[in-house]
Amino acid sequence: MKISKSIYLFFLPGVLLYAIFFVYPTISALFYSFTDWDGLSQSFQFVGIDNYERAFTGDTIFRKTIGNNLKFMLVVVVFQTLVALAFALVVLKNTRTTIFLRALYFFPTILSSVSVAFIWSFIYDPSLGILNQVLELVGLGFLAQNWLGNADIAIYSLAVTQIWFHAGQMLIIFVAGLQAIPDELYEVAKIEGANKWQTFRTVTWPLLAPSATIVIAYTTIQSFKAFDLVFAMTGGGPNNSTEIVATYIFDIAFRNYQFGYASAISVIFMIIIAIITFLQFKALRSDRISY
Amino acid sequence: MMKTHSILSTGVLALSLLLAGCAGESTSDSGNENAEDSTQISFIHWRGEDKAVLDDIIAQFEDENPNISVEMTIYPSEQYQATGQRLLQDGSTGDVFTSFPGAQFEAIASAGLFEDLSGEDFVSHFDEELISVGQKDDAQLALPYQLVFNMPVYNKGMFEELGLEVPKSWTEFQEMADTLLENGITPIAFPGADIGPNQFMNSMMMNNAPDEDIFEKLQNGEESLTNEWWVKTLEDFQLLEQNGYIQDDALGTSQDSAMAMVANEEAAMLATGSYHMSALLDLNPDLQLDLMAPITVEESEAVYEGINTATFMLAVNSQSEKKEQAKEFIAFLSQPEIASQYANETGQHLTVNDVEYESEVLQNTAYWIDEKTTRFQPRFLITNAQIEAAVLSSIENVLGGADPMTAAEEAQQLVDENRE
C-alpha cells in the first residue's frame, strides 16, 4: 500500500509546537549562555565560556544548590516511589473503598502548589503549626523541630511536602502497571508455593519495572524542577540551605538580571538531568523481564 | 453505584476547581463612559492592598480628565519584580509604572526604560530630599510615593505600663529587653522565615556603619564584611538570639506568626516596619503603637535614630506613546488632597508635601518624618542582588548558631565571587 506524502502534514502541528516551545528556547538558552545579556537591554557582548567557568569554579552557591538538589532528589525519589508503591498495593483491587482511597490519595496532586505551600508552611510553623502541637500532645514533644527554620533539616521538610504532593500521581501509574500483570502468573506462583515476598520479587517487581522506570524518571525530573514549593515555602533559606538550582536560576535571572549566566546554569542543569535520567533508564531497563 | 460515582466525581471536581485556583495579576478597568473617545493608559504596580483606594482615585482622575482612562493591573510583588521590566519593553504596557528602589531601579535605568521627569511641574509637589532615591545621573527618573520606616514597631502602651523608656544606647536596649523578659514578654518578634532579616538588618547596622556609602564600598571591594562594622552587627544579632531577646525558632517564624505575637501582647516589638501598624491595629485595636530602632552603640556615638524608605516609585515608560497622559496621571496623584486620601486609606506616610494625616497612628508617627534623624534603608543601596543575598545569609547563619566571624567570612567569599 502506497502512503501519500500528504500524511507527513499530520506531523506538522506537533513538530511546530515542539520547535516553538522546546527547540527554540533551548537553542536560545544555549546562545545566551555565551553572552553577558542582562535580559533587558537590546545589546550584549559575547563572553565565550566565561559563564561556564564561573559556574564551575567561581560560584559557591551554585555548587551548594547542586548538593541541595541531589539530597532533595534522593529523598523524594526513594520515599515517593516506596510510598506510592506501598499504597498502590493496598488499593489495587477495585472495591468501593479502594476507589475512594485512590481518589483521596490523588487529591493533593490537583491542588495548586501555592495552596500546598501555604498549608505546609502552616503545618511546619514552630509556634502555631499543627505538627509540633500534635507531637507535644502525644508525648513526643522532644521531636518538635523548627522544620523550615533549621538549616540542617529544612530541605528534608520540603522533601516530605513534595512527597505528599506528588505520591498520589505516582500511585495511579503503579496501579495501572499492577493491574496489567496477568492473574495467571500469581496463580502459578501460588501453586509453586511462593510466599508473598517471593511473589513480589519474582512476579510483581519485574513486570512492574516499566511503570517503575516512568515513576522514577518522572519523580527525578519533578524533584529537580521543584521550584514553586521551595520558592513559596522557604525562598531558598535559611542561609541557602534549601536553595535548589531552579530557584537559583530565577534569582540570577530575575533578581540580579544576569540572563547570560542564568542561561549557562540552565544548560548545565539540563545536561545533569539528562545524564541522571539516562542512567536510571539504563539501570531499570536491565531489570525488565517478559514472561 | 454509577450515581454515587458521579456525585463523588462531581464533588471532587468542584472542590478541586475551588482549591486549584492560584493567585495571579488582577486588572481593573474603570469603565469610563467616554472610553471610546479617550486614550487609555496602563498603570502597573504591585500593591494589591491599595486596589480599592486606587480604583476610587482613578475614577476621580477620569472625571477630571474625560479624555483619559486608566487600566490598572496589579501583580503580586515577587512576580512584579521578576516580570515588570519585561512588560515595559515594547511600550504597550505600563505607561505609568512603579519601581522598587535598589536593584530593580538600577536595572530599569540601565535598560533606559525611565522617562526623565526632571523639570515637570509636579516634581515640586514632592519632598525634595525624599525623592533623591529616584534620581540617577542628575535626572529625576522616578518619584517615590510612599514613605515607610523599616524599623521595629513597638507596643507603646505596654512600655508605659512597665515604666520603660525608649532606649538610647545598646546598654539601655539590653536593660529594657531584660525587663520585658522578667515580665514574661518576648522583647522582639522576629519573622526570620521571610522578611525579618532584610528589614531588621537596616536598623541593627545603621549606627555600626554610619557611612551611607558602606555597601557601595563593599561592592567595589573597598570594604569587607569581615570588618568591625558588620562583624559587630552579627555579634549584636547573636546576642539577641542567645539572650532570648527574640523568640525561639525565629528562623522558622513567618510574619503572620510574628504579628500575632505582638497583637496578642506576647511580644513587645515587631521587627518589620511601619507598614505593619495598620494590620496590627486590625488584629488588636487596643494597641498603642510607635516606632523604635535599636541603638546598637553608646548614646554619644549614635548618628541615626531610624530607617526610612521612599518606595513605590512612580515613573513613566520611555517606550510609551502616551507619555503626556501618563504624566497627567502622576500629576493627579501628587495633588495634596489626592495624596492625603491615599495616605489615610492605606495607612502609609507619603513623600508628597502638605499631606494631611487623619488616622491616629499616622499622626502619632508623623514626627518621624521631620523630627527624627533617619537614613535611607541601607539594604536598598546594595544594587547587586547576589551580594544582598550574601549579606542576609550571614544573619541567618548567625541566628542558626554560627560564629559571627565565620559567618562574615563565608558571606565575604560570596561577595568576592559576585563583585562585578
Side-chain angles (χ1 to χ4, degrees), chain B residues 359-376:
Chain B
S359 84
E360 195 181 342
V361 71
L362 286 178
Q363 282 176 347
N364 288 347
T365 51
Y367 73 98
W368 277 94
I369 301 173
D370 303 318
E371 297 170 27
K372 292 285 188 178
T373 312
T374 59
R375 68 183 271 189
F376 182 70

Side-chain angles (χ1 to χ4, degrees), chain A residues 37 39-40 54 58-60 99 107 110-112 115 125-126 128 146 149 231 238-239 248 250 254-257 259, chain B residues 5 16 19-21 78 82 85-86 89 107 111 249 251-252 257 384-386 393 396-397 413-414 417-418 420:
Chain A
W37 189 44
L40 292 170
R54 178 180 166 194
D59 189 343
T60 311
I99 289 168
F107 183 70
I110 61 174
L111 297 175
S112 75
S115 307
D125 190 286
L128 303 174
N146 186 2
F231 188 73
N239 193 23
Y248 190 56
F250 177 87
F254 295 110
R255 289 204 174 117
N256 217 30
Y257 309 105
F259 270 68
Chain B
H5 246 122
S16 342
L19 288 167
E78 285 288 349
Q85 298 88 308
R86 303 198 137 268
Q89 277 176 313
D249 300 329
L251 284 177
S257 299
N384 180 315
Q386 295 308 112
S393 72
E396 293 173 348
N397 209 355
Q413 189 194 335
L414 298 178
E417 285 176 5
N418 287 286
E420 284 158 13

